[in-house]
Amino acid sequence: MIFKNAKVLNENFKFCNVDIEIQNGVIKKIYESEGYTMQQQHEECLNLKGFMLIPGLIDIHTHGCSKRGCMEGSFEAINEISLFMASHGVTSFLPTSRSEIYETLAKAFKNIGACIEKEVEGAEVLGIHMEGPYFSEKLKGAQSEKFLREPSVEEFNRLQKVSGNNIMLISLAPETSGAMEFIRELSNKKIRISMAHTSADYNTAKDAIENGVSHATHLFNAMTGLNHREPGATGAALDSDITVELICDGIHVHPAVIRLVYKIKGSENMIIVSDTVEAAGLVNDSYMRSGEKITVTDGIARTSTGNLAGSTTMLDSSLKKAVSFGIRLEDAIKMMTINPARFLGIDNRKGSISIGKDADLVVLNSSLEVVKTFVKGKIIEKVSNIIGG
């Protein structure tokens, strides 16, 4: 397949006029505009004049969407999530867990591992983001308190084994008993550790970073905030070289704060995530999660106690919001493509439009709406029963 005449965001994250040749699911060649003439041996040429072609979006934090959850423990659930994701420009993602008993986590992780091996129909499943259960009760957010516990290397090893060694990222509270030893041991095994749902003060958070924490999950949300006398975990994340992720839905974090983080961290160390839950795609509805009723009103999901229960905003909408908040389009795309790819250590095959990388590509119109999504060169059609008609 040849993609012609698009405004292409190249590997340096600058828009230019080039043509892209795809073979066997990877980017084979990139031609200068007007420098390539279509030949008969190529079966298909896609004329994208008037459109933008960008790398596929990568979501490292999502619990589900369209009433399906990553914890369901079935291929059908993950497959439907992958299709819904792809319809919103996401070409790969980390299904994300929540705090649960070991047996529930093990069932979900075994299923996600099987989905990686079998391959789903939509966005590629990269691995697992284990969010919890090693969290602070004080800042548990929408996590269920009854499932919280201290970090356990032994429990993690069992879960990693049953997952097929597919846990790539763990979010935990570094102030919990045994957390520092846990962080040191697992970071030495190249598992990425993030601080989240934490009541840690600045010094404890900085110690955690020195011991191996390399990321901050949904910065500002469910962590000690930034104060001029007590910088908290948020201050420690900003006062370091670790990457930080933000939910860019305009609800979890104020646009002015997003701009502030952008100025501090720049375009290289900031990742935009969806943190979507089963409610993504719903406007006014409710559903049960871990025995608790989640109510969605005007697209905002909350627990029965009023806590935000994750986001309902998909990454394509977050892209538009980020630009409206003052982030350069090219930088906003970096925060959803090459930045998460580098963080996960897969930037040799994902995250940018480069020769030899997977042909994970998204076609956008001038309104930044997703027109077409390609995963490894295969077009993912928008299915009406998946995207709600």
Side-chain angles (χ1 to χ4, degrees):
M1 177 180 287
I2 303 293
F3 295 81
K4 288 185 67 67
N5 302 320
K7 187 179 177 183
V8 177
L9 191 64
N10 67 16
E11 63 184 346
N12 297 316
F13 283 82
K14 295 181 179 180
F15 282 104
C16 59
N17 296 315
V18 294
D19 298 333
I20 310 293
E21 181 179 348
I22 307 301
Q23 278 195 18
N24 300 319
V26 301
I27 299 169
K28 182 181 180 182
K29 293 183 181 179
I30 298 176
Y31 302 90
E32 294 297 327
S33 179
E34 307 301 330
Y36 178 80
T37 302
M38 184 62 190
Q39 299 176 15
Q40 291 297 319
Q41 66 263 32
H42 292 291
E43 296 181 357
E44 189 173 357
C45 178
L46 188 61
N47 187 344
L48 296 175
K49 187 173 183 179
F51 296 95
M52 289 175 277
L53 188 68
I54 68 168
L57 307 182
I58 301 172
D59 197 346
I60 66 170
H61 191 161
T62 174
H63 299 279
C65 48
S66 194
K67 285 193 172 182
R68 302 310 299 256
C70 298
M71 296 292 290
E72 287 187 42
S74 72
F75 178 84
E76 180 186 24
I78 301 297
N79 192 55
E80 287 193 21
I81 290 168
S82 80
L83 286 167
F84 191 88
M85 288 283 202
S87 74
H88 289 272
V90 175
T91 56
S92 52
F93 69 107
L94 292 183
T96 305
S97 64
R98 59 176 58 94
S99 299
E100 271 286 357
I101 60 173
Y102 171 83
E103 289 75 14
T104 302
L105 290 173
K107 180 181 177 181
F109 290 1
K110 182 178 181 180
N111 173 63
I112 294 169
C115 289
I116 293 172
E117 185 175 344
K118 182 179 179 180
E119 296 188 1
V120 290
E121 296 177 280
E124 180 183 353
V125 180
L126 296 170
I128 296 167
H129 176 178
M130 182 176 169
E131 188 187 14
Y134 313 136
F135 287 149
S136 159
E137 291 185 12
K138 184 177 179 182
L139 289 172
K140 61 183 178 58
Q143 302 276 337
S144 178
E145 184 176 334
K146 63 185 177 181
F147 300 127
L148 302 184
R149 49 194 181 270
E150 295 176 357
S152 166
V153 172
E154 186 273 334
E155 180 181 54
F156 168 81
N157 287 338
R158 285 191 292 148
L159 288 169
Q160 182 70 307
K161 183 177 180 180
V162 78
S163 78
N165 292 315
N166 282 304
I167 301 174
M168 298 182 74
L169 171 62
I170 304 174
S171 291
L172 55 72
E175 76 279 9
T176 52
S177 178
M180 291 299 176
E181 293 80 4
F182 183 95
I183 292 166
R184 282 195 296 270
E185 182 163 344
L186 292 188
S187 61
N188 286 335
K189 295 180 179 179
K190 308 303 181 184
I191 304 296
R192 288 148 187 86
I193 311 292
S194 181
M195 57 181 176
H197 293 272
T198 173
S199 57
D201 60 18
Y202 174 85
N203 290 331
T204 302
K206 287 288 281 187
D207 285 345
I209 292 169
E210 290 177 6
N211 277 283
V213 163
S214 60
H215 189 64
T217 298
H218 45 52
L219 189 69
F220 292 99
N221 296 116
M223 67 173 58
T224 44
L226 180 64
N227 180 277
H228 63 294
R229 290 195 179 93
E230 175 45 65
T234 300
L238 294 173
D239 188 31
S240 69
D241 293 330
I242 69 171
T243 55
V244 299
E245 68 178 50
L246 288 99
I247 305 168
C248 199
D249 59 2
I251 299 166
H252 282 76
V253 183
H254 192 281
V257 176
I258 291 174
R259 287 193 294 273
L260 181 62
V261 175
Y262 179 39
K263 291 177 181 178
I264 295 172
K265 285 292 186 180
S267 64
E268 303 297 324
N269 290 316
M270 185 171 161
I271 296 173
I272 293 176
V273 299
S274 71
D275 194 14
T276 50
V277 292
E278 295 88 334
L282 309 179
V283 178
N284 295 295
D285 207 337
S286 63
Y287 62 96
M288 298 301 294
R289 186 182 76 186
S290 299
E292 182 176 20
K293 184 177 181 181
I294 306 296
T295 301
V296 186
T297 305
D298 296 329
I300 302 174
R302 294 187 182 276
T303 66
S304 57
T305 58
N307 286 331
L308 286 171
S311 175
T312 65
T313 302
M314 302 296 289
L315 275 192
D316 57 339
S317 295
S318 296
L319 176 61
K320 289 189 280 188
K321 286 179 180 291
V323 172
S324 73
F325 295 162
I327 296 178
R328 289 178 67 247
L329 173 60
E330 295 89 339
D331 289 344
I333 296 171
K334 284 179 70 174
M335 295 170 190
M336 303 181 183
T337 56
I338 194 63
N339 289 4
R342 283 178 183 150
F343 173 63
L344 294 177
I346 58 171
D347 51 306
N348 62 323
R349 63 186 181 93
K350 303 279 187 185
S352 64
I353 298 177
S354 308
I355 293 174
K357 290 193 178 184
D358 291 344
D360 293 347
L361 302 165
V362 176
V363 180
L364 299 177
N365 63 20
S366 58
S367 299
L368 304 183
E369 296 168 333
V370 174
V371 177
K372 296 180 185 294
T373 301
F374 296 83
V375 176
K376 294 184 179 178
K378 177 185 176 183
I379 189 168
I380 308 299
E381 302 289 353
K382 291 188 177 182
V383 184
S384 61
N385 68 330
I386 296 295
I387 64 172

